[in-house]
Every structure is written in C-alpha cells, then in structure tokens.
Amino acid sequence: RPLLHLPSLGRCMIAFSKHWRAMLAVNAAVMLGVVLHKLTLPPYIPYIHLLVDYHHGFIKRALIGAIVGLFTTKVPVWLVFALGGTVWLITFALFVQLFRRTFGLDRTTLPLFVFTAGSPFVFKNFLFTLGHFDVYGCLGAIILLLVPAGSLLFVLLAAFLSAVLVLIHHIHLLMYVPTITAIVVLRYYLPRTITTLDIATGAGVLAGLGALFLGAQFLGTMPLPEADFVTYLRSRMADPSRTELLQFAYVWYQPLAKEVQDTWARLPSNLLGVPVYALLLWLHLPLWSSFKSLIGALHEQRHRQIVIASLGVISLAYLVMFAMVFDYSRWISSWVVCMVLMLHAVKTLPAKPAVLVDGDDRKTTILGWIVTVIPRLGIIRPF
C-alpha cells in the first residue's frame, strides 16, 4: 500500500524544487530593485574614497583613490557605481563558482544557495552598500578559497590580500582579516605537518599586518588643515559644484577616541535593532543547522575544536568593532558573510557526509521565501 503514495511523493518533491528555482528568479528581481534604489541615493563616503589618495603622503583609507588617480585626474560620481558594481559582479561570479565546487549546484543544494547568496545579509546588502569597502574583504576571502593551498605562496598571497584590505580601510583587520586567517589555518596549516618555516612565516605575516594597521590608524592622519583638504578633493571632482558630497571629509580627521565616543552615544538607539537582527538570524536557521552538521561531521576532534575556536575569534573581532564604529547593520551583515565563507572552508576538511538544508521541508521552504523577499539589511540601522 505505501507504494501507491510514491507518485504523489514525487509530485510533492517536484513542487518543492520549483519553489527553490522560483526563489532564484525573485532574488534576481529583488537585487535589481536594490540597485535601482541605490542609484537614487547620494554616495557620500564612497565618493570621497575615490578622491582621497597619497598626494600628501601616507594617508589611511586612500588606496582605492590612489589607484583611481592612476587612470583619471577628474573623478565622476558615476564611477562609484560603475566600480562598485564591477567588483560586486566579480565577487558574485566567483562565489557561484566556489559554491559549485564546494557543494555542487543542483536540486539538493539549491536551498543552501538561496540561504547564502540570496540572504539579505550577503549580496543584497553588498548592493545597498555599493561603493563601500566591505565587498573587497569578501572577494579576497573567496579568492583564497578557490586557489590551491599547497605551498607557502598561499600564505603569502593571503598576507598580500590582507595588506591591501587594510590599506583600503584599516577596519578590515577586524572585519575580514580574521576570516582570511582562519581560511589559511584550515586550508594550509591543518592538512600538513607544520615546519619551523611555516610557523615563522605565519608569525611574521601577523606581526606585519598588525604594524600596518597601527601605522594606518595612528600615522595615516591628514597632514594639512581640513579646509585645504576639502579644496584638494574639489580639484579632483569632475563636478566641483557638488560640495554636498564632501560633507563627511571630517572622517579623515576624526581620532579613534572620537569614533568610540560617537559609537557609545548612539548605542541606546542602535540596540533597538537587536531584536530585528535576532529575527533575521533566526530566519536563517536551516543555514545554521547545516553549519552545525558540517562541523559535527568532521573526522577529527582537533579539527572541530580549531573550527569552533576560529568562529569564536572572528565573532570576538566583530564585538570589538561594534564597540568602536556604529555601522551596526553593515557589521552584522559582514559577520554573516564571514560565517558563509567559513562554511565553505570547513567543507574542505575530511568529514563524513553531512545533512544540508532540506529543500523538501515545508518550514524550510517558508523560511526560504521570507529570506528571498527581504531586500537588504542596511548600513547603520535595520532597513
């Protein structure tokens, strides 16, 4: 008698599969809507990042502007969206390639793809923060997950990418460098017998990145008065009349103590968003269940302990960042991105088959649809 129910079971599975394919189309439409909305917003901080360079010496947060300056002396506003959009497209394309190589991309893994690539924390929010520097950290980590990790060149590549990120913005030392470090540990150090050269190289890289961060934070201050700085920025603008885009130039003069003070002053209002963050994280419960399953399936207890310790260090870095800078929606979104990247890193370790997102589960499908239709999280406060 149970065999009589097989056709209906098959039809049900096909129906659920159609749900997940439809979510991909809806996600694409939502992303397009986010882009169109973003194009209507003035790119205050992202535009200044394209204007600031090393003309007056070593300055923090000036690498992107210096590179842009190699190609043009006058920076148009549209370049913020063109450059940011290009980096987003490259990052998304590489993520699809990474997902296909790590998990495969078929009916069984499509739900996991929706909960990662289609999450309002991840690529949708990268679109809303177009022109900001967050996506560069994700791109660097994806590159390290794709390239071979068979020699010390892998460690040196990670060091180079991390240094570039710190020069783009020194807060990357807390935002993505811990995740990059964890990827290096899982992909390079864990599978081999560690030599003295491996230890010395890793320690030297970490010390060098720490010194670079301190130099950017405390020595990369602007050496000229703010009025002269703004005048220089206007000289690089394609349309100098748009002075409203320079209203945040004071950021390059703000000391760390002032940033921390502003963050704590905004803390009561920013904490009102915590229930929203908690709800959005709960909506991703199938993703967290898959992550837990992957960690539990690892063959070696030592690997599990190192993975859990790495997740703790990454999260601790974000807690420090939360206490220093008040862009909470961006930080929680990037934390989720780091968890997604670590999901791929953990999958490279020896393990038994793990249970991923069950696309035939009704509750999971409902959560998938909710995650799909949420357009993005935001920059400072939710939505």
Side-chain angles (χ1 to χ4, degrees):
R1 180 171 297 179
L3 292 178
L4 298 177
H5 298 283
L6 286 179
S8 60
L9 177 61
R11 286 193 297 270
C12 184
M13 293 177 65
I14 293 174
F16 277 115
S17 179
K18 289 181 178 178
H19 270 285
W20 295 103
R21 290 198 297 269
M23 288 179 204
L24 292 183
V26 174
N27 265 303
V30 170
M31 289 180 181
L32 178 60
V34 173
V35 171
L36 295 177
H37 174 60
K38 182 64 178 180
L39 293 177
T40 66
L41 302 177
Y44 295 114
I45 292 291
Y47 183 57
I48 299 180
H49 270 98
L50 300 188
L51 301 176
V52 180
D53 58 14
Y54 298 122
H55 179 76
H56 299 286
F58 178 68
I59 305 298
K60 61 184 177 182
R61 301 165 66 164
L63 181 61
I64 294 180
I67 294 175
V68 169
L70 296 176
F71 300 94
T72 179
T73 57
K74 299 293 184 179
V75 182
V77 176
W78 60 260
L79 188 59
V80 172
F81 305 105
L83 179 60
T86 300
V87 174
W88 186 93
L89 286 171
I90 293 172
T91 305
F92 184 78
L94 290 181
F95 179 82
V96 173
Q97 176 62 23
L98 173 65
F99 192 94
R100 179 181 288 111
R101 197 177 76 175
T102 305
F103 297 102
L105 196 53
D106 52 29
R107 191 190 73 82
T108 59
T109 60
L110 194 56
L112 181 61
F113 185 77
V114 168
F115 277 101
T116 53
S119 168
F121 289 116
V122 188
F123 286 101
K124 292 174 185 173
N125 216 58
F126 281 150
L127 283 174
F128 186 71
T129 59
L130 206 65
H132 287 272
F133 44 81
D134 312 39
V135 69
Y136 290 94
C138 179
L139 175 59
I142 291 176
I143 290 173
L144 291 171
L145 286 167
L146 285 171
V147 301
S151 71
L152 270 176
L153 289 177
F154 180 73
V155 180
L156 297 177
L157 175 62
F160 171 75
L161 293 175
S162 298
V164 169
L165 291 175
V166 172
L167 291 174
I168 290 175
H169 196 303
H170 49 288
I171 205 170
H172 270 302
L173 189 81
L174 296 172
M175 190 186 300
Y176 278 102
V177 171
T179 300
I180 287 175
T181 303
I183 291 172
V184 172
V185 170
L186 298 188
R187 293 202 64 207
Y188 179 78
Y189 283 96
L190 277 190
R192 70 189 65 250
T193 301
I194 301 176
T195 66
T196 303
L197 180 60
D198 290 330
I199 296 174
T201 302
V205 164
L206 292 177
L209 290 173
L212 182 61
F213 167 79
L214 294 175
Q217 175 65 61
F218 299 106
L219 301 179
T221 55
M222 195 64 61
L224 66 161
E226 185 175 346
D228 295 338
F229 175 53
V230 171
T231 299
Y232 175 71
L233 295 182
R234 289 188 64 186
S235 72
R236 296 200 63 199
M237 298 176 68
D239 183 4
S241 65
R242 298 196 62 180
T243 55
E244 79 281 0
L245 294 176
L246 303 179
Q247 61 182 283
F248 290 99
Y250 70 87
V251 169
W252 272 260
Y253 291 85
Q254 190 164 257
L256 178 61
K258 184 64 168 62
E259 292 181 0
V260 174
Q261 180 183 351
D262 290 347
T263 298
W264 284 89
R266 292 170 176 256
L267 191 61
S269 62
N270 282 340
L271 288 180
L272 296 176
V274 170
V276 179
Y277 302 140
L279 174 61
L280 289 174
L281 290 173
W282 178 83
L283 292 174
H284 290 71
L285 186 61
L287 172 61
W288 310 131
S289 298
S290 297
F291 206 167
K292 180 181 178 181
S293 178
L294 281 175
I295 295 174
L298 294 176
H299 284 317
E300 296 190 29
Q301 177 68 17
R302 181 173 66 97
H303 289 181
R304 288 194 290 272
Q305 292 171 343
I306 292 175
V307 167
I308 293 172
S310 299
L311 297 178
V313 170
I314 293 169
S315 300
L316 179 61
Y318 272 91
L319 285 177
V320 174
M321 192 162 57
F322 270 51
M324 296 173 60
V325 189
F326 53 76
D327 289 0
Y328 281 10
S329 291
R330 282 174 62 197
W331 305 157
I332 191 69
S333 295
S334 287
W335 178 82
V336 173
V337 172
C338 288
M339 295 300 104
V340 171
L341 295 169
M342 286 297 293
L343 183 78
H344 287 80
V346 171
K347 188 65 170 62
T348 64
L349 297 174
K352 299 175 292 185
V355 178
L356 300 178
V357 177
D358 182 8
D360 298 325
D361 178 70
R362 183 178 180 84
K363 178 182 176 181
T364 300
T365 305
I366 294 173
L367 292 178
W369 271 115
I370 297 174
V371 166
T372 293
V373 299
I374 298 176
R376 43 83 178 179
L377 185 57
I379 295 178
I380 299 176
R381 296 182 180 87
F383 312 118

